[in-house]
Amino acid sequence: MDREELAAFLRSRRERISPAEVGLPRGTRRRTPGLRREEVAQLAFISTEYYTRLEQARGPRPSREVLGGLARALRLSDAERAHLHHLAGAPPGPPPGPSREVRQSLLDLLRRLPQAAAFVTSATFEVLAWNDLAAALMEDFSALPPRDRNLVRRAFLGPRLKGGGPYAGDRLYGVSDVDAFARLSAQRLRATAARYPDSPEVAGLVAELLAGSEEFGRLWESHDVAAEPTLVKTFRHPVVGPVTVNCDALDITDRDQQVVIYTATPGSRSEEALRLLSVIGTQRMDDQQVDFPA
């Protein structure tokens, strides 16, 4: 355990977080930037005295539970969490759950694909990031709470979701391969559950799907963990009509994420539809479906 480095690391992470980021009032008498020690201790569910001793390089070796609490309280990235464990002399075990942190280079990539609908999903099929065309083709994910951005939840429990965007009441954005996607997502989710056996998020999602969907229960009981990906699918968009796209998924292995990219065949009617969606965006349109020339 490197007490001096651990203390310096904790201080540096504490000072970079504003009270508003963790839902605390800013107050008027803050003598140092970031959070106070007692606030970090409260968020990590440890005593202020114990946390203070850690920052003063005179505390005992923290347990994995304490390190996990500090990582959550200080909003550490995966790399920072691993570094914290190494400084404390307790190399990290498996990650507690699928990563939601999307690399900046991937966010930049999404913006640089204006003619493709592209988004990033976690190992539990949560949509973590997206570009404007993906929002126009599917739905405005920014208008949804994070739990409702989950594609597998929508595929099996879609009618229960609030809102729903242009596809309100539809199971999964009017896609042609909804049954194939359901099989794929159930099989991938079983593999995810094996990779994150201690994740409350994964266990909770599986339990919710088992309780709410007989179809998911049947697929789950098959114990299959592999499926052929869909290479082409069609969205029945309520404004521009059917949009057929090529589907490519790029694995981001260090984050256990995927970048999904939908592109239309050049010169096709679907390419025209995507071009129109890029102009329309997510604004509401009350007119009937747009007709394209034959």
Side-chain angles (χ1 to χ4, degrees):
M1 176 177 176
D2 191 332
R3 286 180 171 81
E4 294 292 339
E5 284 296 320
L6 176 62
F9 183 66
L10 289 173
R11 283 195 300 272
S12 69
R13 301 305 90 176
R14 173 172 62 83
E15 291 174 354
R16 73 175 183 175
I17 301 177
S18 69
E21 288 181 84
V22 294
L24 295 173
R26 186 180 185 282
T28 57
R29 296 188 177 183
R30 290 186 176 268
R31 292 176 294 178
T32 59
L35 299 178
R36 298 188 178 102
R37 288 173 175 170
E38 58 266 28
E39 292 169 336
V40 174
Q42 178 183 2
L43 292 169
F45 299 102
I46 59 178
S47 70
T48 300
E49 178 185 1
Y50 181 33
Y51 180 76
T52 300
R53 292 177 65 190
L54 288 175
E55 275 208 9
Q56 293 175 345
R58 57 187 184 88
R61 175 179 291 177
S63 66
R64 290 185 181 275
E65 290 75 14
V66 168
L67 293 172
L70 290 172
R72 289 189 298 271
L74 296 171
R75 299 196 166 190
L76 301 186
S77 67
D78 293 342
E80 290 170 333
R81 170 183 167 273
H83 185 58
L84 174 69
H85 277 74
H86 285 297
L87 290 178
S99 175
R100 286 189 171 91
E101 182 185 5
V102 180
R103 286 203 300 264
Q104 183 61 48
S105 59
L106 294 179
L107 298 177
D108 294 340
L109 173 64
L110 298 186
R111 287 192 290 269
R112 291 168 180 164
L113 295 172
Q115 297 180 17
F119 54 97
V120 179
T121 60
S122 72
T124 57
F125 290 88
E126 180 183 338
V127 178
L128 303 173
W130 56 91
N131 65 6
D132 291 341
L133 190 50
L137 178 63
M138 299 166 73
E139 67 180 315
D140 184 3
F141 295 106
S142 66
L144 299 175
R147 78 177 307 277
D148 287 350
R149 298 173 191 163
N150 189 291
L151 299 182
V152 69
R153 183 180 279 118
R154 171 131 193 177
F156 291 102
L157 307 176
R160 298 183 180 183
L161 294 183
K162 299 176 181 178
Y167 297 97
D170 187 89
R171 183 179 178 189
L172 189 66
Y173 310 121
V175 295
S176 56
D177 69 322
V178 62
D179 292 331
F181 176 81
R183 290 193 300 273
L184 170 67
S185 61
Q187 292 168 12
R188 281 187 54 198
L189 191 57
R190 180 170 277 285
T192 296
R195 291 196 300 276
Y196 303 98
D198 300 322
S199 170
E201 174 197 352
V202 175
L205 177 60
V206 171
E208 180 184 357
L209 293 169
L210 287 172
S213 171
E214 292 183 2
E215 179 187 8
F216 180 81
R218 289 192 299 270
L219 293 169
W220 187 256
E221 288 305 313
S222 73
H223 290 267
D224 292 335
V225 293
E228 290 297 322
T230 299
L231 301 180
V232 177
K233 69 173 64 185
T234 298
F235 288 83
R236 293 182 293 274
H237 195 279
V239 175
V240 300
V243 183
T244 299
V245 293
N246 303 307
C247 311
D248 293 285
L250 311 178
D251 290 327
I252 311 301
T253 54
D254 64 314
R255 301 289 171 88
D256 204 1
Q257 297 170 354
Q258 280 194 331
V259 179
V260 180
I261 304 174
Y262 295 149
T263 56
T265 301
S268 66
R269 178 200 175 283
S270 292
E271 184 183 43
E272 294 182 42
L274 285 182
R275 188 177 296 116
L276 178 59
L277 279 176
S278 69
V279 176
I280 296 173
T282 57
Q283 64 182 324
R284 291 195 59 178
M285 291 185 65
D286 296 324
D287 295 333
Q288 296 183 1
Q289 177 174 310
V290 176
D291 292 325
F292 289 89

